[in-house]
Amino acid sequence: MQMAVVNLRPGQTVYCEAGKFLFKTVNVTMETRLSGPSGGGQQQGGGGGMGGLLRQAMGTAMQVGQRMLAGESLAFQYFTAQSGEGTVGFAGVLPGEMRALELDGTRAWFAEKDAFVAAESTVDFGIAFAGGRTGMSGGEGFVLEKFTGHGTVIIAGAGNFIDLNPADFGGRIEVDTGCVVAFEEGIQYGVQRVGGLNRQGIMNAVFGGEGLSLATLEGNGRVILQSLTIESLANALKKAQGGDKQGPTGGMFSTHAG
């Protein structure tokens, strides 16, 4: 399992989702807040007084509400180096790989809801919903984390990462919904049924273990996939512990973890 060791310049701040922090040097302060940089957690410009406080409170409440709906941790932890350089360590929650994404302000990045580990304070955090029938049928793809601004974002996934560009494969790829980790803005995300409600479609769902849907990714841009899904890991652990094995229905009636 990989971890990220971040060196901070004096006054530099990084934030992480609660539960991803490992260690820090004593000159790094830690503060817990209810929102990321875009949700009013830090002091915003554009007016002070009661109006500014109200806008800040509304922004915080909106982001907290989005994260509650997404089933995410409600809090972020902020780390700032004081009186010299400092060091902070972070890690994901599953055995796998980590990746540092560099944002230059031209393209946002979208990540599945458990991928975020940490980011510079200059990176804005938000929640995006795939929406409606498409999102609901996509399971883990229903809720996406959105990162904008400038700076570094660290993400993590299970197993190994695979980098693809749909443009190299005719403009479109179809993926197990649990394998999508992150993709650049400009990639169109969707969900499609595996075959029709016919004999072959039922065979795919029942005995193929893939459920009834696949994620579709279209366009020209970077896509990061993981080689291990949370559901597959849970089933392997359950089997190793002598628990109930996954039945012949495969993924058709199983639920995604996370």
Side-chain angles (χ1 to χ4, degrees), residues 1 22 98 105 187 207 211:
M1 184 170 180
L22 291 180
M98 303 184 76
I187 294 292
F207 297 104

Side-chain angles (χ1 to χ4, degrees), residues 127-144:
I127 296 289
F129 296 93
R133 293 175 58 188
T134 297
M136 290 295 289
S137 61
E140 291 154 331
F142 175 51
V143 177
L144 298 170

